[in-house]
Amino acid sequence: MPLELVIYALLLHRSQRLFTKSFVSPVTNNNIKKKMIGDAMTNLGSVVAGLMFVWTIFNRWLPVQFLEHVEQYVHKVRDYVYPYMEITFHEYEGDEIERSKAYAAIERFLSTNSSDRANRLRAKVFKDNESVVLSMDENVVIIDEFQDIKIWWTSKKNIRQHQPLYSNRVDEEKRYYKLTCRKEHRDTIKNTYLQHVLHEGKAIAVRTRQRKLYTNNKSENIGYYRRSMWSHIIFEHPSTFDTLAMDPVKKEVILDDLRTFSESKDYYKKVGKSWKRGYLLHGPPGTGKSSMIAAMANLLEYDIYDLELSSVKDNTDLRKLLIETSSKSIIVIEDIDCSLDLTGQRKKKNEENKDDDETMDPIRKKAQEEKEKNKGSEVTLSGLLNFVDGLWSACGSERLIVFTTNFLDKLDVALTRRGRMDMHIELSYCCFEAFKVLAKNYMDLESHELFETISGLLKETNITPADVAEDLIRKSAKQDVESRLKNLINSLKKAKEKARLKAVKDARMKDEAGPSSC
Ligand SMILES: Nc1ncnc2c1ncn2[C@@H]1O[C@H](COP(=O)(O)OP(=O)(O)OP(=O)(O)O)[C@@H](O)[C@H]1O
Ligand SMILES: [Mg+2]
């Protein structure tokens, strides 16, 4: 027998006993009063228990359509007598994949309000573990007041269970906030209060904004339920355009381009373009491509989405990732030539594969190995082109897309054409101007008698800013400026000698191969 039926039967029995007991008590004034209260309670208990009993039986044996009909009427009656109205705000609306902005704004609004009022709170630690933000926990109610109106906010969570084919059961959490207020305040709530909450929520977001560095979760780990496709940490890279060593004229052009972009919301709208810009950073390893991305994010106060293409299953997942990025962000794909088979030299591919491992440049060899490793991903070039400037790329705004590569010539021209990658920036070997920036940053030094020697050597040999920085950085408290400059001069001389020997070797090999090899 179902448990509910047993409980209702017990309730009926209990109320029956109370009823009979009140009849057998001696008749006094006091007892009459008690008896009346007892009778009323007994009758009420019996009616409720009886109704529940009947409802349980109905629920089991009556057709679903009929029950739905009854339920509708029960709700109508309830709505008629219940003096309150309710509004719910779901984290995800319907089948939308983007988190509701209203939900996020309410969450922030309530996080500041709840810390003084709620008894059960959830803590989040921010800014270098220095500040704690408290927000209301599930099923907690907090009361807000607005123009002498009381508003009740509740945080709720529904759990739905799915059983995907050939897979274990998974729980899908659906979170929402419920606002409750008296019906007579409907207009104020609708027209004024909600605007106030959303506005405040956004303002709090701006005030407490911490920039984030996101990375995409591996497609298969996202699973059936709605887990964010990105994970993040707080972004705290110290690189700025001041610390970036490069040709000052080039630097000024890039700075100007970035500033103009960030102030051109209306302009982009006017010309009918989505508000985004593509940058392609190319150059040898250690010339500052990643440092420049960090400097860009610091300059414009954007988040960074570091997209690992090899972890993306296919073009559909790539699109979903794009949708989940926020505005004011930089989407980065580093070493795009190694990420996938997106090169423009497919026809040469077979020949390239035949390259003797011995003769292949080590950096190219590494890129080749990376590509082999990433064969699991089905993202295609067209999927990536759509990601950059397809219809879906227009969702969200104020976004930079930055690709980096060590080999510009290995990329498909479709990917690098202007309009997709609007600005091509070459980061190259260290010139004297770039060295001066590093000397200022690493040693607080603006001039020195050894600068002339260094300037001469820099003109004759290729050395990356990363290598220069390695010589200039202080390695012990005793190490003085001069010894660091001398270290650099030694490195430059060694690099020059190495280059000379390589040139001699190449020339000899060319002579040995003879003219037919051309
Ligand atoms: N132009 C530069 N200005 C200042 N520091 C630089 C510059 N280039 C390199 N460095 C120094 O060298 C380190 C490595 O640089 P970075 O990672 O930016 O190079 P990269 O071009 O991204 O290299 P890769 O192609 O290998 O990814 C940085 O941490 C920084 O200290
Ligand atoms: Mg890099």
Side-chain angles (χ1 to χ4, degrees), residues 284-325:
T287 48
K289 298 178 291 298
S290 304
S291 308
M292 178 173 277
I293 295 168
M296 285 173 164
N298 285 333
L299 176 80
L300 300 175
E301 303 211 317
Y302 285 1
D303 292 327
I304 295 185
Y305 288 88
D306 189 3
L307 179 59
E308 182 59 58
L309 264 189
S310 55
S311 305
V312 186
K313 197 171 87 210
D314 50 25
N315 294 343
T316 314
D317 272 5
L318 186 62
R319 198 177 296 155
K320 283 188 199 156
L321 279 163
L322 176 69
I323 293 159
E324 278 203 23
T325 57

Side-chain angles (χ1 to χ4, degrees), residues 243-246 283-291 334-335 406 438 442 465-466 469:
T243 63
L244 208 60
M246 64 185 295
T287 48
K289 298 178 291 298
S290 304
S291 308
E334 290 245 46
D335 297 320
N406 295 136
L438 291 173
Y442 283 79

